[in-house]
Amino acid sequence: MKVAVIPARGGSKRIPRKNIKDFCAKPIIAYSIEAALNSNCFDKVIVSTDDDEIASIARAFGASVPFMRPKNFADDFTGTNAVVKHVIEQLSEEGYEVNYACCIYATAPFLSPEYIQKGFEKLISNNTQFAISVT
């Protein structure tokens, strides 16, 4: 399985609610979700969040939020790698085998599906199974 993980916690300190702030008439996270979906590279586009409002908005734009992120992965000190690993482990517990994972930040409104496709093509052409991060 190929999965895109979009981390979006609710407790941003520097810019409160930054992941769902309007940017050109839509929540900023919508751009990342749409880029991931429109790339056609992924079997699942998952938003990892601890916040009900973010989860609702993510679902409205077509992402999956199959579980809420636990508090211990939603603090000021948990890094992105731990969040992506948590998603992969949760999917594994549900019987999915994740072969490729791509982290796309919620605040990347200028990311295009073409950039995701090019990155994935490079990953495949190198015949490897490492997680890639797109910002």
Side-chain angles (χ1 to χ4, degrees), residues 98-109:
V98 177
N99 303 103
Y100 296 97
C102 175
C103 178
I104 300 173
Y105 291 104
T107 54

Side-chain angles (χ1 to χ4, degrees), residues 117-131:
Q117 290 166 344
K118 286 179 183 180
F120 189 68
E121 287 167 10
K122 286 185 181 192
L123 184 70
I124 296 297
S125 70
N126 289 327
N127 196 26
T128 187
Q129 292 183 335
F130 293 104

Side-chain angles (χ1 to χ4, degrees), residues 16-125:
R17 313 300 291 159
K18 72 178 176 190
N19 295 314
I20 55 173
K21 284 213 179 280
D22 274 354
F23 181 78
C24 296
K26 8 183 202 191
I28 199 161
I29 194 172
Y31 295 94
S32 296
I33 293 168
E34 290 171 347
L37 292 170
N38 291 331
S39 75
N40 295 312
C41 289
F42 307 107
D43 300 307
K44 288 188 179 284
V45 174
I46 296 177
V47 171
S48 172
T49 188
D50 61 326
D51 185 275
D52 290 330
E53 185 180 14
I54 293 172
S56 178
I57 289 169
R59 288 182 184 111
F61 282 92
S64 175
V65 186
F67 43 82
M68 297 301 282
R69 190 188 316 174
K71 296 278 185 228
N72 60 317
F73 287 106
D75 60 23
D76 292 341
F77 308 104
T78 302
T80 304
N81 288 341
V83 172
V84 173
K85 182 180 177 188
H86 171 257
V87 170
I88 293 169
E89 288 173 347
Q90 287 296 119
L91 290 172
S92 180
E93 287 179 19
E94 293 175 16
Y96 295 102
E97 181 181 342
V98 177
N99 303 103
Y100 296 97
C102 175
C103 178
I104 300 173
Y105 291 104
T107 54
F110 302 114
L111 176 64
S112 74
E114 294 79 22
Y115 288 140
I116 296 170
Q117 290 166 344
K118 286 179 183 180
F120 189 68
E121 287 167 10
K122 286 185 181 192
L123 184 70
I124 296 297
S125 70

